[in-house]
Amino acid sequence: MKLYYSPGACSLSPLIALHEAGIKVELIKVDLRSKAMANGGNYLDINPNGFVPALQLDSGEILTEGPAIVQYIADLAPNSHIAPPNGTLDRVHLQEALNFVSSEVHKGFSPLFHPALPAEWKAIVLDKLSQRFDYLAKRLEKSEWLVGKQFTVADGYLFTVLGWTVPCGIDLSRWPALVAYRARIAERPKVKEAIAAQ
Ligand SMILES: N[C@@H](CCC(=O)N[C@@H](CS)C(=O)NCC(=O)O)C(=O)O
């Protein structure tokens, strides 16, 4: 399999899932501006939307959308227990968490990476993200992980996007539970490996 990725982007989330699952893949780096791939091709031929991540299976089939990709990876390695089994209510809670991280946090950050973002809009975006962080911090004060009693792919995804508080100049120390959560995940050997692999 091949994972199309860009250092620091949301593709770190499937990379964490792959390391936690013990699955080896070929990494193909993508320049998100030019859409050029490190192996010489045009990434738009892989994903016409131009965004990472994409996972290419050995059959050649391509999967896109981070929340779908991490669940596919987790199901390839059920003994890694990074997703509750399909058909359980906990699996629905995992999908709930992945969707929340995707639509409320990941895409909440996205305007902040746009250089032409007007100041008034930026203030609205930061306020909305603060509300999401308040909610997540309350949850993570009571529970170590987003779903169930152990690390799942939803934690790898939230860890990834919370990392963007640094380049976006958001002071995460306002939410000590989120600082502790990120530190807990950063200590995981497989997460360290994934970060280094980028
Ligand atoms: N809906 C996609 C969004 C992925 C996404 O936003 N990727 C960003 C990096 S974090 C990207 O590649 N942006 C470059 C672009 O959109 O051209 C998913 O959830 O996988």
Side-chain angles (χ1 to χ4, degrees):
M1 288 195 293
K2 293 178 184 159
L3 178 72
Y4 297 86
Y5 82 105
S6 177
C10 53
S11 45
L12 176 60
S13 162
L15 192 52
I16 289 173
L18 286 162
H19 279 263
E20 291 279 349
I23 297 171
K24 299 229 178 319
V25 294
E26 188 183 340
L27 292 179
I28 311 279
K29 195 165 163 180
V30 179
D31 180 327
L32 290 179
R33 273 173 207 257
S34 66
K35 308 300 175 195
M37 297 190 286
N39 63 0
N42 181 353
Y43 183 60
L44 293 174
D45 294 335
I46 301 295
N47 182 358
N49 286 311
F51 49 63
V52 290
L55 186 71
Q56 190 162 28
L57 312 186
D58 292 340
S59 64
E61 190 160 343
I62 291 163
L63 298 178
T64 61
E65 299 300 321
I69 293 173
V70 293
Q71 291 184 77
Y72 177 78
I73 293 167
D75 290 340
L76 287 179
N79 291 338
S80 62
H81 302 291
I82 53 174
N86 268 303
T88 63
L89 198 55
D90 267 352
R91 182 57 170 253
V92 181
H93 283 307
L94 178 84
Q95 289 161 344
E96 190 182 20
L98 286 169
N99 201 68
F100 183 86
V101 175
S102 175
S103 59
E104 301 297 333
V105 189
H106 178 172
K107 288 298 154 182
F109 269 103
S110 296
L112 298 176
F113 291 107
H114 202 295
L117 181 71
E120 279 179 15
W121 188 10
K122 183 174 179 179
I124 294 168
V125 167
L126 289 173
D127 182 55
K128 193 54 103 183
L129 270 178
S130 294
Q131 290 175 36
R132 301 305 177 237
F133 290 172
D134 288 346
Y135 165 79
L136 287 166
K138 273 200 190 108
R139 266 178 77 157
L140 292 164
E141 274 160 17
K142 292 193 203 109
S143 162
E144 251 190 306
W145 308 109
L146 281 178
V147 181
K149 295 200 178 341
Q150 59 192 42
F151 173 93
T152 66
V153 290
D155 297 301
Y157 190 16
L158 182 55
F159 170 83
T160 297
V161 298
L162 285 178
W164 300 340
T165 52
V166 178
C168 291
I170 299 172
D171 181 8
L172 203 61
S173 68
R174 281 172 57 197
W175 298 275
L178 296 185
V179 173
Y181 172 75
R182 249 191 74 77
R184 196 153 62 237
I185 296 173
E187 278 309 305
R188 294 176 71 81
K190 298 295 171 188
V191 171
K192 285 185 181 168
E193 269 179 33
I195 292 169
Q198 289 188 113

CSV table of all heavy atoms in Angstrom, one decimal, residues 105-151:
chain,number,residue,atom,x,y,z
A,105,VAL,N,-13.4,20.5,14.1
A,105,VAL,CA,-12.0,20.9,14.6
A,105,VAL,C,-11.1,21.1,13.3
A,105,VAL,O,-10.6,22.2,13.1
A,105,VAL,CB,-11.4,20.0,15.6
A,105,VAL,CG1,-10.1,20.6,16.2
A,105,VAL,CG2,-12.4,19.7,16.7
A,106,HIS,N,-10.9,20.0,12.6
A,106,HIS,CA,-10.0,20.1,11.4
A,106,HIS,C,-10.5,21.2,10.5
A,106,HIS,O,-9.7,22.1,10.2
A,106,HIS,CB,-10.1,18.7,10.7
A,106,HIS,CG,-9.3,18.6,9.4
A,106,HIS,ND1,-9.2,17.4,8.8
A,106,HIS,CD2,-8.7,19.5,8.7
A,106,HIS,CE1,-8.4,17.6,7.7
A,106,HIS,NE2,-8.1,18.9,7.6
A,107,LYS,N,-11.8,21.2,10.1
A,107,LYS,CA,-12.2,22.2,9.1
A,107,LYS,C,-12.5,23.5,9.8
A,107,LYS,O,-12.6,24.6,9.2
A,107,LYS,CB,-13.5,21.7,8.4
A,107,LYS,CG,-13.1,20.6,7.4
A,107,LYS,CD,-12.2,21.1,6.3
A,107,LYS,CE,-11.4,20.1,5.6
A,107,LYS,NZ,-10.4,20.6,4.6
A,108,GLY,N,-12.5,23.5,11.2
A,108,GLY,CA,-12.5,24.7,11.9
A,108,GLY,C,-11.2,25.5,11.8
A,108,GLY,O,-11.1,26.7,11.8
A,109,PHE,N,-10.1,24.7,11.7
A,109,PHE,CA,-8.8,25.3,11.6
A,109,PHE,C,-8.5,25.8,10.2
A,109,PHE,O,-7.8,26.8,10.0
A,109,PHE,CB,-7.7,24.3,11.8
A,109,PHE,CG,-7.2,24.2,13.3
A,109,PHE,CD1,-7.6,23.1,14.1
A,109,PHE,CD2,-6.3,25.1,13.8
A,109,PHE,CE1,-7.2,23.0,15.4
A,109,PHE,CE2,-5.8,25.0,15.1
A,109,PHE,CZ,-6.3,23.9,15.9
A,110,SER,N,-9.1,25.2,9.2
A,110,SER,CA,-8.7,25.4,7.8
A,110,SER,C,-8.6,26.8,7.4
A,110,SER,O,-7.6,27.2,6.7
A,110,SER,CB,-9.6,24.6,6.8
A,110,SER,OG,-9.4,23.2,7.1
A,111,PRO,N,-9.6,27.7,7.7
A,111,PRO,CA,-9.5,29.1,7.3
A,111,PRO,C,-8.2,29.8,7.8
A,111,PRO,O,-7.7,30.7,7.2
A,111,PRO,CB,-10.7,29.8,7.8
A,111,PRO,CG,-11.7,28.7,8.1
A,111,PRO,CD,-10.8,27.5,8.5
A,112,LEU,N,-7.7,29.4,9.0
A,112,LEU,CA,-6.6,30.0,9.6
A,112,LEU,C,-5.3,29.8,8.7
A,112,LEU,O,-4.3,30.6,8.9
A,112,LEU,CB,-6.3,29.5,11.0
A,112,LEU,CG,-7.4,29.7,12.0
A,112,LEU,CD1,-7.1,29.0,13.3
A,112,LEU,CD2,-7.7,31.2,12.2
A,113,PHE,N,-5.3,28.8,7.8
A,113,PHE,CA,-4.1,28.6,7.0
A,113,PHE,C,-4.2,29.4,5.7
A,113,PHE,O,-3.3,29.4,4.9
A,113,PHE,CB,-4.0,27.1,6.6
A,113,PHE,CG,-3.6,26.3,7.8
A,113,PHE,CD1,-4.5,25.5,8.4
A,113,PHE,CD2,-2.3,26.4,8.4
A,113,PHE,CE1,-4.2,24.7,9.6
A,113,PHE,CE2,-2.0,25.6,9.5
A,113,PHE,CZ,-2.9,24.8,10.1
A,114,HIS,N,-5.3,30.2,5.5
A,114,HIS,CA,-5.5,31.0,4.3
A,114,HIS,C,-4.8,32.4,4.6
A,114,HIS,O,-5.3,33.1,5.5
A,114,HIS,CB,-6.9,31.2,4.0
A,114,HIS,CG,-7.1,31.5,2.5
A,114,HIS,ND1,-6.7,32.7,2.0
A,114,HIS,CD2,-7.7,30.8,1.5
A,114,HIS,CE1,-7.0,32.7,0.7
A,114,HIS,NE2,-7.5,31.5,0.4
A,115,PRO,N,-3.8,32.7,3.8
A,115,PRO,CA,-3.1,34.0,4.1
A,115,PRO,C,-4.0,35.2,3.9
A,115,PRO,O,-3.7,36.3,4.6
A,115,PRO,CB,-2.0,34.0,3.0
A,115,PRO,CG,-2.2,33.0,2.1
A,115,PRO,CD,-3.2,32.0,2.7
A,116,ALA,N,-5.1,35.2,3.2
A,116,ALA,CA,-5.9,36.3,3.0
A,116,ALA,C,-7.1,36.4,3.9
A,116,ALA,O,-8.0,37.2,3.7
A,116,ALA,CB,-6.4,36.4,1.5
A,117,LEU,N,-7.1,35.6,5.0
A,117,LEU,CA,-8.2,35.6,5.9
A,117,LEU,C,-8.4,37.0,6.6
A,117,LEU,O,-7.5,37.5,7.3
A,117,LEU,CB,-8.0,34.5,7.0
A,117,LEU,CG,-9.1,34.4,8.0
A,117,LEU,CD1,-10.3,33.7,7.4
A,117,LEU,CD2,-8.6,33.5,9.2
A,118,PRO,N,-9.5,37.6,6.4
A,118,PRO,CA,-9.7,38.9,7.0
A,118,PRO,C,-9.8,38.8,8.6
A,118,PRO,O,-10.2,37.8,9.1
A,118,PRO,CB,-11.1,39.4,6.5
A,118,PRO,CG,-11.4,38.4,5.4
A,118,PRO,CD,-10.7,37.2,5.6
A,119,ALA,N,-9.3,39.9,9.3
A,119,ALA,CA,-9.2,39.8,10.7
A,119,ALA,C,-10.5,39.5,11.4
A,119,ALA,O,-10.5,38.8,12.4
A,119,ALA,CB,-8.6,41.2,11.2
A,120,GLU,N,-11.6,40.1,10.9
A,120,GLU,CA,-12.9,39.9,11.6
A,120,GLU,C,-13.3,38.4,11.5
A,120,GLU,O,-13.8,37.8,12.4
A,120,GLU,CB,-14.0,40.7,10.9
A,120,GLU,CG,-14.0,42.2,11.4
A,120,GLU,CD,-15.0,43.0,10.7
A,120,GLU,OE1,-15.9,42.4,10.1
A,120,GLU,OE2,-14.9,44.2,10.8
A,121,TRP,N,-13.1,37.8,10.3
A,121,TRP,CA,-13.4,36.4,10.1
A,121,TRP,C,-12.5,35.5,11.0
A,121,TRP,O,-13.0,34.6,11.6
A,121,TRP,CB,-13.3,36.0,8.6
A,121,TRP,CG,-13.8,34.7,8.3
A,121,TRP,CD1,-14.5,33.8,9.1
A,121,TRP,CD2,-13.7,33.9,7.1
A,121,TRP,NE1,-14.8,32.6,8.5
A,121,TRP,CE2,-14.3,32.7,7.2
A,121,TRP,CE3,-13.0,34.2,5.9
A,121,TRP,CZ2,-14.3,31.7,6.2
A,121,TRP,CZ3,-13.1,33.3,4.8
A,121,TRP,CH2,-13.7,32.0,5.0
A,122,LYS,N,-11.2,35.9,11.1
A,122,LYS,CA,-10.3,35.2,11.9
A,122,LYS,C,-10.8,35.1,13.4
A,122,LYS,O,-10.7,34.1,14.0
A,122,LYS,CB,-8.9,35.8,11.8
A,122,LYS,CG,-7.9,35.0,12.6
A,122,LYS,CD,-6.5,35.6,12.4
A,122,LYS,CE,-5.5,34.8,13.2
A,122,LYS,NZ,-4.1,35.3,13.1
A,123,ALA,N,-11.3,36.3,13.9
A,123,ALA,CA,-11.8,36.3,15.3
A,123,ALA,C,-12.9,35.3,15.4
A,123,ALA,O,-13.0,34.7,16.5
A,123,ALA,CB,-12.2,37.7,15.6
A,124,ILE,N,-13.8,35.3,14.4
A,124,ILE,CA,-15.0,34.4,14.5
A,124,ILE,C,-14.5,32.9,14.5
A,124,ILE,O,-15.0,32.1,15.3
A,124,ILE,CB,-16.0,34.7,13.3
A,124,ILE,CG1,-16.6,36.0,13.5
A,124,ILE,CG2,-17.0,33.6,13.2
A,124,ILE,CD1,-17.3,36.5,12.2
A,125,VAL,N,-13.5,32.6,13.6
A,125,VAL,CA,-13.0,31.3,13.5
A,125,VAL,C,-12.4,30.9,14.9
A,125,VAL,O,-12.6,29.7,15.4
A,125,VAL,CB,-12.0,31.2,12.4
A,125,VAL,CG1,-11.2,29.9,12.4
A,125,VAL,CG2,-12.7,31.3,11.0
A,126,LEU,N,-11.6,31.8,15.5
A,126,LEU,CA,-10.9,31.4,16.7
A,126,LEU,C,-11.9,31.2,17.8
A,126,LEU,O,-11.7,30.3,18.7
A,126,LEU,CB,-9.9,32.6,17.1
A,126,LEU,CG,-8.7,32.6,16.2
A,126,LEU,CD1,-7.8,33.9,16.5
A,126,LEU,CD2,-7.8,31.4,16.4
A,127,ASP,N,-13.0,32.0,17.8
A,127,ASP,CA,-14.0,31.9,18.9
A,127,ASP,C,-14.7,30.5,18.7
A,127,ASP,O,-14.9,29.9,19.7
A,127,ASP,CB,-15.0,33.1,18.7
A,127,ASP,CG,-16.1,33.0,19.8
A,127,ASP,OD1,-15.7,33.0,21.0
A,127,ASP,OD2,-17.3,32.9,19.5
A,128,LYS,N,-15.0,30.2,17.5
A,128,LYS,CA,-15.7,28.9,17.3
A,128,LYS,C,-14.8,27.7,17.7
A,128,LYS,O,-15.2,26.8,18.4
A,128,LYS,CB,-16.1,28.8,15.8
A,128,LYS,CG,-17.0,27.7,15.5
A,128,LYS,CD,-18.3,27.7,16.2
A,128,LYS,CE,-19.5,28.2,15.5
A,128,LYS,NZ,-20.7,28.3,16.3
A,129,LEU,N,-13.5,27.8,17.4
A,129,LEU,CA,-12.6,26.8,17.8
A,129,LEU,C,-12.4,26.7,19.3
A,129,LEU,O,-12.4,25.6,19.9
A,129,LEU,CB,-11.2,27.0,17.2
A,129,LEU,CG,-10.9,26.4,15.8
A,129,LEU,CD1,-9.5,26.8,15.4
A,129,LEU,CD2,-11.0,24.9,15.8
A,130,SER,N,-12.5,27.8,20.0
A,130,SER,CA,-12.4,27.9,21.5
A,130,SER,C,-13.6,27.1,22.0
A,130,SER,O,-13.4,26.4,23.0
A,130,SER,CB,-12.4,29.3,22.0
A,130,SER,OG,-11.3,30.0,21.6
A,131,GLN,N,-14.7,27.3,21.5
A,131,GLN,CA,-15.9,26.6,22.0
A,131,GLN,C,-15.8,25.1,21.8
A,131,GLN,O,-16.1,24.3,22.7
A,131,GLN,CB,-17.2,27.0,21.2
A,131,GLN,CG,-17.6,28.5,21.5
A,131,GLN,CD,-18.8,28.8,20.6
A,131,GLN,OE1,-19.7,28.0,20.3
A,131,GLN,NE2,-18.8,30.1,20.1
A,132,ARG,N,-15.2,24.7,20.7
A,132,ARG,CA,-15.0,23.2,20.5
A,132,ARG,C,-13.9,22.7,21.5
A,132,ARG,O,-14.0,21.6,22.0
A,132,ARG,CB,-14.5,23.0,19.0
A,132,ARG,CG,-15.4,23.4,18.0
A,132,ARG,CD,-16.8,22.9,18.1
A,132,ARG,NE,-17.8,23.4,17.2
A,132,ARG,CZ,-18.9,24.0,17.5
A,132,ARG,NH1,-19.3,24.2,18.7
A,132,ARG,NH2,-19.7,24.4,16.5
A,133,PHE,N,-12.9,23.5,21.7
A,133,PHE,CA,-11.9,23.1,22.7
A,133,PHE,C,-12.5,23.0,24.1
A,133,PHE,O,-12.1,22.1,24.9
A,133,PHE,CB,-10.7,24.0,22.7
A,133,PHE,CG,-9.8,24.0,21.4
A,133,PHE,CD1,-8.8,24.9,21.2
A,133,PHE,CD2,-10.1,23.0,20.4
A,133,PHE,CE1,-8.1,24.9,20.0
A,133,PHE,CE2,-9.3,23.0,19.3
A,133,PHE,CZ,-8.3,23.9,19.1
A,134,ASP,N,-13.4,23.9,24.4
A,134,ASP,CA,-14.0,23.9,25.8
A,134,ASP,C,-14.7,22.5,25.9
A,134,ASP,O,-14.6,21.9,26.9
A,134,ASP,CB,-15.1,25.0,25.9
A,134,ASP,CG,-14.4,26.4,26.1
A,134,ASP,OD1,-13.2,26.5,26.3
A,134,ASP,OD2,-15.2,27.4,25.9
A,135,TYR,N,-15.5,22.2,24.9
A,135,TYR,CA,-16.2,20.9,24.9
A,135,TYR,C,-15.3,19.7,25.0
A,135,TYR,O,-15.5,18.8,25.9
A,135,TYR,CB,-17.1,20.9,23.6
A,135,TYR,CG,-17.7,19.5,23.4
A,135,TYR,CD1,-18.8,19.0,24.0
A,135,TYR,CD2,-17.1,18.6,22.4
A,135,TYR,CE1,-19.3,17.7,23.8
A,135,TYR,CE2,-17.6,17.4,22.2
A,135,TYR,CZ,-18.7,16.9,22.9
A,135,TYR,OH,-19.1,15.7,22.6
A,136,LEU,N,-14.3,19.7,24.2
A,136,LEU,CA,-13.4,18.5,24.2
A,136,LEU,C,-12.6,18.5,25.6
A,136,LEU,O,-12.4,17.4,26.1
A,136,LEU,CB,-12.3,18.7,23.1
A,136,LEU,CG,-12.9,18.4,21.7
A,136,LEU,CD1,-12.0,18.8,20.6
A,136,LEU,CD2,-13.2,16.9,21.5
A,137,ALA,N,-12.2,19.6,26.1
A,137,ALA,CA,-11.5,19.6,27.4
A,137,ALA,C,-12.4,19.0,28.5
A,137,ALA,O,-11.9,18.3,29.3
A,137,ALA,CB,-11.0,21.0,27.7
A,138,LYS,N,-13.7,19.4,28.5
A,138,LYS,CA,-14.6,18.9,29.5
A,138,LYS,C,-14.7,17.4,29.4
A,138,LYS,O,-14.6,16.7,30.4
A,138,LYS,CB,-16.0,19.5,29.3
A,138,LYS,CG,-16.1,20.8,30.1
A,138,LYS,CD,-17.6,21.1,30.3
A,138,LYS,CE,-17.7,22.5,30.9
A,138,LYS,NZ,-18.2,23.5,29.9
A,139,ARG,N,-14.8,16.9,28.2
A,139,ARG,CA,-14.8,15.4,27.9
A,139,ARG,C,-13.6,14.7,28.4
A,139,ARG,O,-13.6,13.7,29.1
A,139,ARG,CB,-15.0,15.1,26.4
A,139,ARG,CG,-16.4,14.9,26.0
A,139,ARG,CD,-16.5,14.7,24.6
A,139,ARG,NE,-16.2,13.3,24.2
A,139,ARG,CZ,-16.6,12.8,23.1
A,139,ARG,NH1,-17.4,13.4,22.3
A,139,ARG,NH2,-16.2,11.5,22.7
A,140,LEU,N,-12.4,15.4,28.1
A,140,LEU,CA,-11.1,14.7,28.4
A,140,LEU,C,-10.6,14.9,29.8
A,140,LEU,O,-9.7,14.4,30.3
A,140,LEU,CB,-10.1,15.2,27.4
A,140,LEU,CG,-10.4,14.6,26.0
A,140,LEU,CD1,-9.6,15.4,24.9
A,140,LEU,CD2,-10.1,13.1,25.9
A,141,GLU,N,-11.4,15.8,30.6
A,141,GLU,CA,-11.2,15.8,32.0
A,141,GLU,C,-11.7,14.6,32.7
A,141,GLU,O,-11.2,14.1,33.7
A,141,GLU,CB,-11.9,17.1,32.6
A,141,GLU,CG,-11.1,18.3,32.5
A,141,GLU,CD,-11.9,19.6,32.7
A,141,GLU,OE1,-13.1,19.4,33.1
A,141,GLU,OE2,-11.5,20.7,32.3
A,142,LYS,N,-12.8,14.1,32.1
A,142,LYS,CA,-13.5,12.9,32.7
A,142,LYS,C,-13.0,11.6,32.2
A,142,LYS,O,-13.1,10.5,32.8
A,142,LYS,CB,-15.0,13.0,32.4
A,142,LYS,CG,-15.6,14.2,33.1
A,142,LYS,CD,-17.2,14.0,33.0
A,142,LYS,CE,-17.9,15.3,33.2
A,142,LYS,NZ,-18.5,15.8,31.9
A,143,SER,N,-12.4,11.6,31.0
A,143,SER,CA,-12.0,10.3,30.3
A,143,SER,C,-10.7,10.5,29.6
A,143,SER,O,-10.4,11.6,29.0
A,143,SER,CB,-13.1,10.0,29.3
A,143,SER,OG,-12.6,9.1,28.4
A,144,GLU,N,-9.8,9.5,29.7
A,144,GLU,CA,-8.5,9.7,29.1
A,144,GLU,C,-8.5,9.7,27.6
A,144,GLU,O,-7.7,10.3,26.9
A,144,GLU,CB,-7.6,8.4,29.5
A,144,GLU,CG,-6.5,8.7,30.5
A,144,GLU,CD,-5.6,7.5,30.6
A,144,GLU,OE1,-6.2,6.4,30.9
A,144,GLU,OE2,-4.4,7.7,30.4
A,145,TRP,N,-9.5,9.0,27.0
A,145,TRP,CA,-9.6,8.9,25.5
A,145,TRP,C,-10.9,9.3,25.0
A,145,TRP,O,-11.9,9.4,25.8
A,145,TRP,CB,-9.3,7.4,25.1
A,145,TRP,CG,-8.0,6.9,25.7
A,145,TRP,CD1,-7.9,6.0,26.7
A,145,TRP,CD2,-6.7,7.3,25.4
A,145,TRP,NE1,-6.6,5.8,27.1
A,145,TRP,CE2,-5.8,6.6,26.3
A,145,TRP,CE3,-6.1,8.3,24.6
A,145,TRP,CZ2,-4.4,6.8,26.3
A,145,TRP,CZ3,-4.8,8.4,24.5
A,145,TRP,CH2,-3.9,7.7,25.4
A,146,LEU,N,-11.0,9.6,23.7
A,146,LEU,CA,-12.3,10.1,23.1
A,146,LEU,C,-13.4,9.0,23.2
A,146,LEU,O,-14.5,9.3,23.4
A,146,LEU,CB,-12.1,10.5,21.7
A,146,LEU,CG,-11.5,11.9,21.5
A,146,LEU,CD1,-11.3,12.2,20.0
A,146,LEU,CD2,-12.3,13.0,22.1
A,147,VAL,N,-13.0,7.7,22.9
A,147,VAL,CA,-13.9,6.7,22.9
A,147,VAL,C,-13.4,5.5,23.7
A,147,VAL,O,-12.3,5.0,23.5
A,147,VAL,CB,-14.1,6.2,21.4
A,147,VAL,CG1,-15.1,5.0,21.3
A,147,VAL,CG2,-14.5,7.3,20.5
A,148,GLY,N,-14.3,5.0,24.6
A,148,GLY,CA,-13.9,3.8,25.4
A,148,GLY,C,-12.8,4.1,26.3
A,148,GLY,O,-12.5,5.2,26.7
A,149,LYS,N,-12.0,3.0,26.6
A,149,LYS,CA,-11.0,3.1,27.7
A,149,LYS,C,-9.6,3.0,27.1
A,149,LYS,O,-8.7,2.7,27.9
A,149,LYS,CB,-11.3,2.0,28.7
A,149,LYS,CG,-12.6,2.2,29.5
A,149,LYS,CD,-12.6,1.5,30.8
A,149,LYS,CE,-13.9,1.6,31.6
A,149,LYS,NZ,-14.7,2.8,31.3
A,150,GLN,N,-9.5,3.1,25.8
A,150,GLN,CA,-8.1,3.0,25.2
A,150,GLN,C,-8.0,3.9,24.0
A,150,GLN,O,-9.0,4.4,23.4
A,150,GLN,CB,-7.7,1.6,24.9
A,150,GLN,CG,-8.6,0.9,23.9
A,150,GLN,CD,-8.3,-0.6,23.9
A,150,GLN,OE1,-8.1,-1.2,24.9
A,150,GLN,NE2,-8.3,-1.1,22.7
A,151,PHE,N,-6.7,4.1,23.6
A,151,PHE,CA,-6.4,5.0,22.4
A,151,PHE,C,-7.1,4.4,21.2
A,151,PHE,O,-7.1,3.2,21.0
A,151,PHE,CB,-4.9,4.9,22.2
A,151,PHE,CG,-4.4,5.6,21.0
A,151,PHE,CD1,-4.1,7.0,21.0
A,151,PHE,CD2,-4.3,4.9,19.8
A,151,PHE,CE1,-3.7,7.6,19.8
A,151,PHE,CE2,-3.9,5.5,18.6
A,151,PHE,CZ,-3.6,6.8,18.6
